[in-house]
Amino acid sequence: MNDVSAPPARRPLTLRDVSEASGVSEMTVSRVLRNRGDVSDATRAKVQEAARALGYVPNKIAGALASNRVNLVAVIIPSMSNMVFPEVMGGISSVLEETELQPVVGITDYLPEKEEKVLYEMLSWRPSGVIIAGLEHTEAARAMLRNSGIPVVEIMDTDGNPTDCAVGISHRRAGREMGEAILEAGYRRIGFMGTKMALDHRARKRYEGFVEALAKGGVELADWEFYEGGSALAKGRELTAAMLERTPDLDFLYYSNDLIGAGGLLYCTEKGMDIPGSFGMAGFNGVELLRGLPVTLATIDSCRREIGRTAADMIVARMEGATSSEVVTLTPKLQPGDTMRLSAP
Amino acid sequence: MNDVSAPPARRPLTLRDVSEASGVSEMTVSRVLRNRGDVSDATRAKVQEAARALGYVPNKIAGALASNRVNLVAVIIPSMSNMVFPEVMGGISSVLEETELQPVVGITDYLPEKEEKVLYEMLSWRPSGVIIAGLEHTEAARAMLRNSGIPVVEIMDTDGNPTDCAVGISHRRAGREMGEAILEAGYRRIGFMGTKMALDHRARKRYEGFVEALAKGGVELADWEFYEGGSALAKGRELTAAMLERTPDLDFLYYSNDLIGAGGLLYCTEKGMDIPGSFGMAGFNGVELLRGLPVTLATIDSCRREIGRTAADMIVARMEGATSSEVVTLTPKLQPGDTMRLSAP
DNA sequence: CTGAAAGCGCTAACAC
DNA sequence: GTGTTAGCGCTTTCAG
């Protein structure tokens, strides 16, 4: 007899059912099923067989309530559809898979109120830790994080004041470095293209760092464009065409992410523009996907996987007794690819 | 006083704390916080104020145990990193957001044993429903699904026997239709390129349908290649180059997904090949991302968002009392794009 | 409209 | 090694 032959159960099975079927007390059944405490091999075998045969699935709700332990880590991120967060998740999972912990994801769509709501929902399941994107949250959300009594890791960004632990890069610095490198290479008529970023603080910080670096070199943006929605590749193509039409003397275009950058790049290579000689381009993120383009776009890696791994490590360290609020700033190097000169011609 | 000024709580707050702070019984506090039953406006206000001030976050673990209700829907999918499942998730979320239900995602990496484990873990939280990719599962997983006593929707694929509800497309048919269209257009020296698909049943079914359609037209695959891992775009580029080197007289290349297809397409347009005149190409999925390529790849849409929406609707319908096990087969139309002729030259 | 009692299914802490 | 008892924080049910 095995689980397959068990008749569909109307009422979910309980420990008591396994206990009765095996003639072993509920407590010992519980011990066997959790591999805790010493149980004789004979009893263990009896219990396991009974559980299998019935197709028993433990009720974690009850277990969590009784033990006051929930092996879940809440991961709160703005989106799953761009290239960035799936990679962060990969990093988190790779670490948590070695432990008892499991990630549970909540999506905020870059909306602060939704973030607050999602956080509230997740905290009400009493997870063992929280990994949350960004340093900007509503007051209420910050309060919930502080009062949760569990380890909190804010990820992606380190330009600001973490609630507890944090790991990320400085987006302001990434923008600044790109700006500096562009000036150093002798480009002067510079355009910017990015998402409307009222709510995407990291994109905004990159933009601010970029403009600041240009200003320090006595250069102002020659043109700029903010878009929203739509396929990034297509948008990059369209908007690049439009901008080059409007401001034909541009000699560099900085995109707030690699995907619109790639769209622009495809357009420019088709047009047969002289890249990087008389026209340069750069994006941000270092997305793997774009290997395979005819020409590789200059970019700065956002260290997504590394961030995910580190964040998960921080949670694990805390659960193992660490008490400090670590803050880790990663410093990716600019990757010039094929689309920007390194020095003035 | 508000939640922000509340001192960090060491012990999580309980209903009792709110009850004491407001001078209202736990039961009535519970009523207020859940908007159930009639409570006088005065009492309601007192309770809400107290809860806010303390920064109380309800404990869903306890709530779920007591009420035997969990507003979670388990969503079990192979991967989050390709273009396909984020869109399915979007469809699911868009429907569930109108309800009390919340999706919780588990990832299987296309591994049957991992799927079984993830399913077990999720069922142990006693969700209200399960949405799971594919029709192929281990025996134990099938048993768990049957015995769970909750609505189950198997998604993506309808070539097989659903456990309960299902919504998807016929991948075998998709492969067949592409094969037929290619023959109809007069291509004859046909190559195939796809992932190693021992565990990706849908890719395998497309392949089988494709080969079958060619066979019916008296044509055999002229060359084929199965890859694994790596950036799809780059892989598509490399492998296409290699295959065209090896079998230069190919006049069509069918890719098992749009991304490797796009990699191949970029390579072929660079080489200046005559597309679709003397060489045709096609992929599968209809991914939005690729709008923005210089040339659009022929493809068949996998109806990802629609599948997600329908699956969620099915769960909701069940929770509202429906009892039937619906099976919905969507029938996407072939989109020839710019990379295949429609009839023989 | 409000409250008191019972118990959801499991595990911690003790007995034996 | 194994069993017993109490109770996790909430909701159900039933009284008032």
Side-chain angles (χ1 to χ4, degrees), chain A residues 60 69-77 88-89 91-93 95-97 99-106 118-119 121-123 125-132 145 150-155 308-319, chain B residues 104-105 125:
Chain A
K60 288 214 187 197
R69 257 175 294 144
V70 180
N71 294 323
L72 299 177
V73 175
V75 180
I76 299 177
I77 55 183
V88 176
M89 284 308 306
I92 293 174
S93 301
V95 170
L96 295 189
E97 269 170 13
T99 74
E100 300 277 67
L101 297 171
Q102 296 207 351
V104 183
V105 181
V118 167
L119 178 60
E121 290 289 325
M122 306 217 90
L123 287 180
W125 288 103
R126 300 288 187 265
S128 294
V130 177
I131 295 174
I132 185 167
L145 289 171
I150 57 178
V152 173
V153 183
E154 286 166 292
I155 58 171
R309 258 192 274 114
T310 307
D313 280 333
M314 286 170 160
I315 299 283
V316 171
R318 273 301 193 74
M319 308 227 23
Chain B
V104 183
V105 181
W125 288 102

Side-chain angles (χ1 to χ4, degrees), chain B residues 172-183:
Chain B
R172 202 176 300 275
R173 172 172 167 168
R176 208 164 48 221
E177 286 194 352
M178 188 56 83
E180 288 162 359
I182 289 168
L183 292 184

Side-chain angles (χ1 to χ4, degrees), chain A:
Chain A
M1 184 172 176
N2 59 47
D3 31 347
V4 176
S5 62
R10 231 15 12 183
R11 165 184 65 78
L13 298 163
T14 69
L15 263 190
R16 163 173 241 111
D17 295 306
V18 182
S19 167
E20 283 169 2
S22 63
V24 176
S25 78
E26 283 188 46
M27 194 54 234
T28 299
V29 171
S30 169
R31 287 196 182 92
V32 172
L33 265 25
R34 285 177 299 148
N35 287 314
R36 281 224 202 306
D38 292 330
V39 180
S40 72
D41 288 351
T43 317
R44 174 182 311 283
K46 254 195 303 190
V47 170
Q48 282 170 337
E49 177 50 25
R52 268 188 47 74
L54 295 171
Y56 172 70
V57 177
N59 185 334
K60 288 214 187 197
I61 307 264
L65 183 61
S67 66
N68 197 27
R69 257 175 294 144
V70 180
N71 294 323
L72 299 177
V73 175
V75 180
I76 299 177
I77 55 183
S79 153
M80 210 57 179
S81 30
N82 54 35
M83 242 79 285
V84 8
F85 293 103
E87 287 217 36
V88 176
M89 284 308 306
I92 293 174
S93 301
S94 72
V95 170
L96 295 189
E97 269 170 13
E98 317 278 281
T99 74
E100 300 277 67
L101 297 171
Q102 296 207 351
V104 183
V105 181
I107 303 290
T108 69
D109 294 324
Y110 289 98
L111 302 173
E113 313 75 39
K114 189 159 181 201
E115 182 187 73
E116 186 179 316
K117 204 184 122 204
V118 167
L119 178 60
Y120 183 83
E121 290 289 325
M122 306 217 90
L123 287 180
S124 73
W125 288 103
R126 300 288 187 265
S128 294
V130 177
I131 295 174
I132 185 167
L135 295 165
E136 287 77 17
H137 316 289
T138 66
E139 265 309 317
R142 297 186 70 86
M144 283 191 261
L145 289 171
R146 267 199 313 276
N147 296 340
S148 65
I150 57 178
V152 173
V153 183
E154 286 166 292
I155 58 171
M156 309 312 288
D157 187 7
T158 55
D159 293 325
N161 297 107
T163 306
D164 181 2
C165 300
V167 51
I169 68 170
S170 164
H171 286 261
R172 202 176 298 276
R173 171 174 167 165
R176 210 165 47 221
E177 286 194 353
M178 188 56 83
E180 288 162 0
I182 290 168
L183 292 183
E184 176 123 357
Y187 300 104
R188 286 297 176 274
R189 294 288 296 164
I190 298 163
F192 177 89
M193 187 174 299
T195 47
K196 287 215 173 77
M197 49 201 174
L199 298 173
D200 184 344
H201 298 282
R202 295 176 287 287
R204 173 179 55 74
K205 289 170 184 173
R206 290 196 296 279
Y207 173 77
E208 289 170 358
F210 185 68
V211 170
E212 181 193 312
L214 296 193
K216 197 169 285 177
V219 173
E220 283 191 354
L221 278 183
D223 199 351
W224 56 87
E225 176 88 39
F226 303 97
Y227 74 95
E228 54 190 337
S231 157
L233 219 51
K235 271 284 194 286
R237 163 179 292 274
E238 286 165 30
L239 297 182
T240 299
M243 190 180 288
L244 289 175
E245 173 89 9
R246 190 167 65 203
T247 316
D249 67 336
L250 286 185
D251 64 3
F252 203 100
L253 203 31
Y254 178 43
Y255 297 84
S256 84
N257 68 65
D258 285 349
L259 273 186
I260 46 166
L265 177 53
L266 286 170
Y267 173 82
C268 292
T269 50
E270 265 171 68
K271 286 285 167 198
M273 292 173 65
D274 168 32
I275 298 173
S278 48
F279 190 75
M281 319 176 74
F284 174 81
N285 259 335
V287 307
E288 156 80 6
L289 175 80
L290 300 186
R291 313 261 173 90
L293 283 192
V295 175
T296 68
L297 186 67
T299 193
I300 293 183
D301 185 20
S302 52
C303 306
R304 303 175 297 286
R305 206 179 163 84
E306 175 73 7
I307 287 174
R309 258 192 274 114
T310 307
D313 280 333
M314 286 170 160
I315 299 283
V316 171
R318 273 301 193 74
M319 308 227 23
E320 288 171 350
T323 55
S324 62
S325 292
E326 240 188 313
V327 176
V328 173
T329 303
L330 304 173
T331 55
K333 264 198 26 229
L334 191 151
Q335 300 163 7
D338 305 318
T339 62
M340 69 184 284
R341 300 189 305 255
L342 291 174
S343 53

Side-chain angles (χ1 to χ4, degrees), chain B residues 55-280:
Chain B
Y56 172 70
V57 177
N59 184 332
K60 288 214 186 196
I61 306 265
L65 182 62
S67 67
N68 196 27
R69 251 176 312 196
V70 180
N71 293 323
L72 300 176
V73 175
V75 180
I76 298 176
I77 56 183
S79 154
M80 209 57 178
S81 30
N82 54 34
M83 241 79 285
V84 6
F85 293 103
E87 287 217 36
V88 176
M89 284 308 305
I92 293 174
S93 301
S94 71
V95 170
L96 295 189
E97 268 170 14
E98 317 278 281
T99 73
E100 299 277 66
L101 297 171
Q102 296 206 351
V104 183
V105 181
I107 303 290
T108 69
D109 295 323
Y110 289 100
L111 302 173
E113 313 77 38
K114 190 160 180 199
E115 182 186 74
E116 187 179 315
K117 204 185 123 202
V118 167
L119 178 60
Y120 184 81
E121 289 289 325
M122 306 217 89
L123 287 180
S124 73
W125 288 102
R126 300 288 187 265
S128 294
V130 178
I131 295 174
I132 186 168
L135 296 165
E136 287 78 16
H137 316 289
T138 65
E139 265 309 317
R142 298 185 71 87
M144 283 191 261
L145 290 171
R146 267 199 314 274
N147 296 339
S148 65
I150 57 179
V152 173
V153 183
E154 286 165 294
I155 58 172
M156 310 312 289
D157 186 7
T158 55
D159 292 324
N161 297 107
T163 304
D164 181 2
C165 301
V167 52
I169 68 170
S170 164
H171 286 261
R172 202 176 300 275
R173 172 172 167 168
R176 208 164 48 221
E177 286 194 352
M178 188 56 83
E180 288 162 359
I182 289 168
L183 292 184
E184 175 123 357
Y187 299 103
R188 286 295 176 275
R189 294 287 297 164
I190 299 164
F192 177 89
M193 188 172 301
T195 46
K196 289 218 172 75
M197 48 201 176
L199 299 173
D200 184 344
H201 298 282
R202 295 176 287 287
R204 173 177 55 75
K205 289 170 185 176
R206 291 196 296 279
Y207 172 76
E208 290 171 357
F210 185 67
V211 171
E212 180 193 314
L214 297 193
K216 198 170 287 179
V219 172
E220 283 191 352
L221 278 183
D223 198 352
W224 55 89
E225 175 89 39
F226 302 97
Y227 74 95
E228 54 190 340
S231 157
L233 218 52
K235 271 285 193 288
R237 164 180 292 275
E238 286 164 31
L239 297 182
T240 300
M243 190 180 288
L244 288 175
E245 173 89 10
R246 188 168 65 206
T247 317
D249 66 337
L250 285 186
D251 65 3
F252 202 99
L253 203 31
Y254 178 42
Y255 296 85
S256 84
N257 68 66
D258 285 349
L259 273 187
I260 46 166
L265 177 53
L266 286 170
Y267 173 83
C268 292
T269 49
E270 264 171 69
K271 286 284 167 199
M273 292 173 64
D274 168 32
I275 298 173
S278 48
F279 189 75

